[in-house]
Structures are given as C-alpha cells and as structure tokens.
Amino acid sequence: MNINHQKVFMTVNPAETRKKALLFIEEKLFREWDLRFGEPVTIMAGCRSVPVFVQPFPSSGPTLKLSYDMNQFLSLPVFSDAISVSFHAEQRTIKIGPFFAALTNQVPMQDGTFGEMEKFYQEMASYCNQQGIPFYLLKLQSLQEGIAEGLFAGQNGWQSLTLPTPDVLYNRIHSRKLEASQSFEVFKMELAARSIPMFNGRFLSKYDVHELLNLEYELLPSLPDTILFGENEPFLRFIEKHTVIYFKPASGSQGKNICKLTQVSGKWKIESSGNKQELHFADTEEQLFDILKRFSRKQAFILQQGISLLETEQRKVDFRILLHQNDQFQWRVSSMVARIGEQGAIVSNLAQGGVMKNGSDFLKEVFDYPDAGRLYQKLIRLAKNTARAMVEHHDESFGELGIDVALDIDTHPWIIEVNSKPSKKFQGNYETFRPSVKSIIDFMLTLNREKHR
C-alpha cells in the first residue's frame, strides 16, 4: 500500500471565502504526492470525510489550506505546530492525524487541572505533539455523529472543543460503576462499529484474575491459594489450611478495606489495613464467618493465603512492575519499584502510608550483588509471564499492566495483584517524559498501524 506520511502546517481560509470545495496544497508537497491540478480527492479526520478538488499554492513549508466550512465539518482544532498527515495514493485520500485520546470520567478541578493526573496527561499531549499527533481527553458519550466532545491541551490550559473521533483510545476511566453501565457497553459497540481500537478496556476483579492465571501451569507455584468468600463450607476448609489469611475486596484498590486474619492460640486475630490500632478477635470459626459477612456488606470479597513477605526493619515489601506492549506486541518492563509498607502495617500500598524505592537499587541494598541480580530477573520474568497470560486468556486488549509481585522470606516469588489502571501519580526525576508515556503512545501508534494494514 502506497502511503506517504508527512508533517504539515494547517491553515484555514476565512469564513467568507467561497471556494468551499477547494483544498490548497503547498507546491512541493503537491508534486511529492503526484497530484494533478483540480483532481478530486477525499480529506479525512477521524470518522468524517469531505470530497475536495486540489490546487497547488506557493508556501515556505509543507502546508494545507482548508476552507472554513471544510475545517468546521471536520471539527479540527487550531494547530499551532505541524501535524501528521498521510496521503493514500490508491484511494486518493488525505488523512489528518491519527488523533489519539484518553477516555476519562474526571472533570477539571477549579484551577482547570486534573489533580495528580495532570502531569501525566500534559506529558501525553506534549509527547504526541512532538510527533505531530493531536491528543485530547474524551468523556463517555455517543459517537454517532462522527465527532466527539473533548478537552484539548491549548496554550491556556484544557479547552472544551468538538473534535474528530479518535483513531485509538486509551481507557483511563476511574469508575468501576461507570464501566459496568449500559452507556459504556453502547460506547464500546460504537467503537467496534467504527473499528476504533480501545485498550485497557476495564478494571479487573482479583478473583477473575486468579482464575485466569490458574490456567497457566508455570504460574501455579507463584499463585497464592484464593477463594471467593460466601459459602460456609469452602470458608471452613480454607481456614483449616491456612493460619494467616488476607480478606480483600474482589474489586478493591489502593489497599483499602483489607483485613489480615491470623490464628493465635485457637482464636482469630483480625487486623484492618485502615487502622493499625484497631484489633478484633473471633473465638470461633462461626464468629469469624459472621464478622466477615458483616464487614463485606454483600460486596464480593476473596480469601487469600497469607504470604510471609520479605521485610526490612519490620516493614513489608512488595514490588510494582509496570509493563507495556511494544510494536511487536511483546511485553517490556518500563519501571520496577519496591513498595515498603509503614511499620506494623498489613499492606505496603503507597496510599496506606508506604514509601517507594527503585526496585533494583532496593534489591542491591538487601542482597549480595549476584543474588540481587538473580532475584531481579526472577521477578521480571514472573511479571512478563503474568502479562502474557492475561493477554492470552482475557478478551480485553491490554497495552499496559501494573503487576504487583513479592518475595517471601525464602525469596520465593509470588503474584499479588494485576492492575489494568496503574497509578499515574508523578514519580521520578526524568528530564522530559516518563517511560510509560512514551510506551503508551508508541503502542497507540502500533494499534493505528495494524488497523490500516
């Protein structure tokens, strides 16, 4: 397929110009695309297209000059920099973009920013801009008209504009309830009808992930024993097997509402992730079952085998490994951090008072050099195998996964959790863009390339 990619400047003729169906193309670009004076072509942006006649005009650089009406119909924002444009010779089509978007249910705060997500979104917009790709934030809506209401990063902050539908969409919706809604299902159907790929399509349930990973024989030694909490008999069998158990919401995040259950002298001690001082005791298994029933308030919870995690100064440690798919659809590690829990806390989540260190540096501090390298590779290998299993057995498309792994006191590796919406809180001292921003945009480019093959 003969496709010519180019970064071009875009200008718009004033509204009163009558030549609505004329597209002016800078002379050198006109020759490069092997166009003929007055030839009919189609110009596209997102899902919308306009038939036009082309004419060359002199300019100091590669430029397209659109009529006011053409620009309005395509819903193009004002571009201050050169934008990626491709000419498809066989179809005689000029395509503006691709347009990339992040789907969000957040609304800007009073200062016009997106709180802890602001820096991440700004980095995405800037990295896209460097490559001539328009990037915007999209809210859940109908795309039937072939246009979208979105927030575009301008010089004065995020502007609410009508924009072309995105060519690729990255899901950053923060609401499980919204993702479970009928409107979200309709939205996904509209994307499918327009062949618009969306990745990281939904939050993950801890139990569903466990059942899925259970299908991979090589992962079984690193999967903690896990059951859904509900029926009395499986509960009794489970607590007979394990003296330390974690009780977690199946759809929870940030280490909230987790209980640690420990068998002590025939009783069960119950500790909560939210309050280190608050302790409860259950004298019998029946009493423990009733306490957990009340605590779960009819929400789905899991029981998970407790692991004797590696500790440093009585602080539990696990590792968050951030992975992204590359242009060959292979998983690559973008970052690895050690999360060190608060002293005495039952979880190591940053939201529950934990602190963070570079994962490799932490291992070198705790272990001899050869052992640190070996354990690093062991954890990376486990995370990559977990990510591969997620793609193989799940019907969603994933371009990014945050995988929590841990070492026990015997340095055996364990899979703790898989997260499809890993935190984007600013962490690091990099000069320009964090590795995850580059990886996400590069994956969007890959999906866009595959769509047009």
Side-chain angles (χ1 to χ4, degrees), residues 48 72 74-77 136 147-150 159-164:
R48 286 197 164 184
Q72 287 292 99
L74 295 175
S75 295
L76 299 175
Y136 65 94
I147 49 176
E149 296 299 318
Q159 296 172 279
S160 187
L161 297 172
T162 302
L163 296 155

Side-chain angles (χ1 to χ4, degrees), residues 5-11 26 29 33 59-64 66 76-86 95-99 125-135 152 155:
H5 294 273
Q6 187 91 26
K7 277 170 83 170
V8 308
F9 291 96
M10 308 200 67
T11 61
E26 179 265 325
L29 192 58
W33 287 351
S59 180
S60 57
T63 306
L64 297 184
L66 287 71
L76 299 175
V78 175
F79 297 120
S80 51
D81 297 297
I83 290 298
S84 177
V85 169
S86 54
K95 179 159 174 55
I96 301 166
F99 286 78
S126 297
Y127 187 63
C128 278
N129 192 48
Q130 276 191 6
Q131 300 179 67
I133 299 168
F135 171 84
F152 190 75
Q155 290 179 332

